[in-house]
Amino acid sequence: MFKIINLKRLKKDLNNYNKINIKIFKEIINNNHKKIIIIFGPCSLSNIKDFFFYIKKIKKMNFNLNFIIRVYYEKPRSNIGWKGFVYDPYLDNSYCIIDGIYMIRKLLIDLIKKKLFLATECLNFYFLNFFIDCISWVCIGARTMNSQLHREFCSNIKNIIGIKNDVSSDLKLLNDFKISLINKHCFLSFNNFKIIFSKGNKNYQFVLRGGNKPNYNFTNIKNINSSIVVDCSHSNSFKIPINQIFVFENVYNQFKYYKNKINGLMFETYEKFGCQSIINKFKFVSVTDSCLNFSLLNLILNKINAN
């Protein structure tokens, strides 16, 4: 994991803390307790100083909720564009990838020290090797969920895996990933030439993010027999950030009043509302997908906490 460049290792107490975090979330997922996991944060990491300001405000909130912070250092692309902080941390096409790895590693350790639970999306599993010990929840995106390499890799790690439906919103493909994930594999290691024999990973959630149309409706959800996270953004909100509130209202009522497998909600939120271009002129505004602002997130979390 640390052979390519010398990175600061996670101390034993913090490593054990992260393992305990994962165990707590596994208990909620596998036993389907009537508890809900809230996953939120900016669409993608773009400015560490601004992100820390956002985290300080999160830490001041007094909620008795199980929440995970999104630290998405890669940005999936259907064609071209900025691929995320780990590729281009200075947002200037300099592609200082080594700097990006160091900065993200330090950021994750600092967040673990603040007793936060962390989530990311695995696009390039080579990068994830540098950060996996700090991460509780790993999402496989809509564009990579059909990848056999990602299925093999995830079958060999201890983290919770969130499997997004693909961009067509065909929910049958979620089951294909699940079957591959929970079973054993033999494959070549991604960072050396060792043969890996994985044992399978039974800790997963289906992430419904919409596709050709929203897919958080009760008709879809009642037929799924695995733990579900509903992504209130992306195609479920038609990529209009204020619509995340309407998705939340619908899904949270399903969680409270119907017998189903909903265990989580995901939001794209940041300090300020909306988005901006990659030129990044404004502080605390997403440079990728539009986000809800902190005030609206606070309202949502207050409502969940009150019930």
Side-chain angles (χ1 to χ4, degrees):
M1 176 177 171
F2 300 101
K3 289 183 178 179
I4 298 177
I5 53 178
N6 184 24
L7 294 174
K8 185 176 180 181
R9 294 175 184 268
L10 199 61
K11 291 182 179 179
K12 185 176 180 181
D13 59 333
L14 295 176
N15 196 23
N16 289 336
Y17 171 75
N18 197 42
K19 289 178 181 178
I20 292 170
N21 298 343
I22 294 172
K23 187 176 180 181
I24 291 169
F25 290 118
K26 285 178 180 177
E27 188 71 16
I28 295 172
I29 292 165
N30 293 326
N31 295 324
N32 196 30
H33 294 161
K34 290 304 285 186
K35 294 181 180 179
I36 196 161
I37 300 167
I38 316 298
I39 305 168
F40 62 86
C43 171
S44 57
L45 176 69
S46 60
N47 184 304
I48 288 180
K49 186 177 179 180
D50 288 359
F51 186 68
F52 261 114
F53 178 86
Y54 176 75
I55 291 298
K56 284 180 181 178
K57 295 189 74 171
I58 297 297
K59 287 291 290 180
K60 289 179 181 178
M61 296 190 301
N62 187 24
F63 294 122
N64 184 27
L65 297 172
N66 299 293
F67 67 87
I68 306 177
I69 302 295
R70 289 169 52 115
V71 187
Y72 281 31
Y73 49 80
E74 295 179 90
K75 174 64 181 174
R77 290 291 177 185
S78 297
N79 38 60
I80 58 171
W82 184 69
K83 295 196 294 183
F85 193 91
V86 73
Y87 287 94
D88 186 19
Y90 305 113
L91 283 75
D92 60 359
N93 293 323
S94 57
Y95 297 105
C96 298
I97 291 176
I98 301 300
D99 288 7
I101 292 172
Y102 270 105
M103 286 190 276
I104 293 164
R105 178 78 186 166
K106 185 179 185 305
L107 168 66
L108 295 176
I109 292 174
D110 288 344
L111 294 176
I112 289 284
K113 287 178 180 177
K114 293 179 182 294
K115 306 298 183 184
L116 291 168
F117 314 138
L118 308 178
T120 197
E121 183 168 335
C122 176
L123 298 173
N124 186 322
F125 33 71
Y126 292 98
F127 286 133
L128 190 58
N129 279 311
F130 294 109
F131 314 126
I132 193 70
D133 56 334
C134 300
I135 302 295
S136 299
W137 194 88
V138 176
C139 188
I140 302 300
R143 297 165 185 81
T144 48
M145 64 92 63
N146 288 316
S147 164
Q148 182 61 31
L149 294 177
H150 285 76
R151 296 176 184 187
E152 291 171 348
F153 178 85
C154 290
S155 74
N156 193 49
I157 60 178
K158 305 294 184 183
N159 312 66
I160 298 162
I161 307 300
I163 312 165
K164 278 191 177 183
N165 63 263
D166 78 332
V167 292
S168 74
S169 70
D170 184 353
L171 299 183
K172 293 178 182 178
L173 298 176
L174 290 170
N175 208 48
D176 293 342
F177 194 111
K178 178 198 79 172
I179 292 169
S180 183
L181 177 69
I182 66 178
N183 280 285
K184 300 176 181 179
H185 289 275
C186 173
F187 59 95
L188 192 65
S189 172
F190 303 118
N191 57 0
N192 54 48
F193 291 104
K194 291 182 179 178
I195 303 298
I196 301 294
F197 292 89
S198 71
K199 296 180 179 179
N201 186 346
K202 294 182 172 60
N203 303 291
Y204 64 90
Q205 295 181 283
F206 289 163
V207 182
L208 305 189
R209 49 87 73 194
N212 297 327
K213 59 183 179 180
N215 60 3
Y216 60 86
N217 56 75
F218 175 69
T219 305
N220 281 329
I221 287 175
K222 72 176 183 178
N223 295 321
I224 298 175
N225 198 33
S226 297
S227 175
I228 300 169
V229 174
V230 175
D231 182 353
C232 296
S233 57
H234 292 102
S235 296
N236 278 335
S237 66
F238 300 102
K239 294 192 175 183
I240 302 171
I242 196 67
N243 287 351
Q244 292 186 58
I245 295 176
F246 303 122
V247 179
F248 159 70
E249 288 282 357
N250 181 300
V251 176
Y252 192 60
N253 283 329
Q254 290 187 55
F255 167 75
K256 286 199 300 181
Y257 301 120
Y258 290 99
K259 186 177 180 180
N260 55 39
K261 294 286 187 175
I262 294 174
N263 272 133
L265 289 162
M266 181 183 286
F267 301 95
E268 288 191 332
T269 72
Y270 205 23
E271 172 61 19
K272 293 184 178 179
F273 191 88
C275 65
Q276 62 178 320
S277 74
I278 199 66
I279 297 172
N280 200 22
K281 288 184 178 180
F282 306 103
K283 291 175 70 66
F284 312 120
V285 180
S286 170
V287 300
T288 47
D289 291 353
S290 289
C291 295
L292 281 178
N293 61 15
F294 180 83
S295 298
L296 290 173
L297 171 68
N298 199 27
L299 289 173
I300 290 170
L301 296 183
N302 266 310
K303 178 163 185 177
I304 299 172
N305 195 60
N307 288 286

